[in-house]
Amino acid sequence: MYQVFTGSGTGTAFLVGERLLLTNCHVVDDLAEVKLARAKTEMPAEVVSRNVDADRCVLRTAAKLPSWVKVRPYDDIKVGDVIECFEIQKVRAAL
C-alpha cells in the first residue's frame, strides 16, 4: 500500500502491477500527477486511467515497484470465498 499526496489531501493506492497502482478517483480529483510515498521513499505517479462512475483510477510510476497484489477476476469469486477489502479487512463474499 502506498500513500497518495495530492497537495490538498491524501489517500491510498494499491500496487497491481510493476508500475501500476489502483486508487479512488475522489483522491486524485482531476490531477494529472500525484506524489506517492512508502517506507520513507517518495516518487511521482501519473494518473493514466479514470473511471469516475466506479471511483477507480490507475496511477503509473516510471520506476518498477517491488511487489504487488494480485486481483482475481470478478467471475472467479464465489459466494462464501474469503476476500481482502481495500480497508484490509477479511470478509465473506455475499454475491
Side-chain angles (χ1 to χ4, degrees):
M1 184 167 58
Y2 287 76
Q3 191 165 9
V4 179
F5 294 95
T6 64
S8 62
T10 64
T12 55
F14 297 85
L15 195 57
V16 294
E18 287 183 337
R19 293 180 171 94
L20 299 175
L21 299 100
L22 184 64
T23 191
N24 295 108
C25 289
H26 72 264
V27 171
V28 298
D29 291 323
D30 60 351
L31 296 173
E33 188 173 287
V34 295
K35 183 171 44 170
L36 300 175
R38 181 177 183 201
K40 299 182 183 179
T41 301
E42 293 184 356
M43 69 195 77
E46 178 185 8
V47 180
V48 294
S49 177
R50 297 175 194 272
N51 182 336
V52 177
D53 292 334
D55 196 25
R56 288 190 297 259
C57 283
V58 177
L59 309 176
R60 181 174 52 214
T61 61
K64 285 186 180 181
L65 300 172
S67 63
W68 59 90
V69 296
K70 294 181 180 177
V71 180
R72 285 173 56 186
Y74 180 78
D75 293 342
D76 187 44
I77 299 173
K78 307 292 185 251
V79 172
D81 283 354
V82 174
I83 59 174
E84 295 287 335
C85 292
F86 286 106
E87 291 82 19
I88 317 299
Q89 300 173 8
K90 287 191 176 188
V91 298
R92 295 224 174 255
L95 305 175

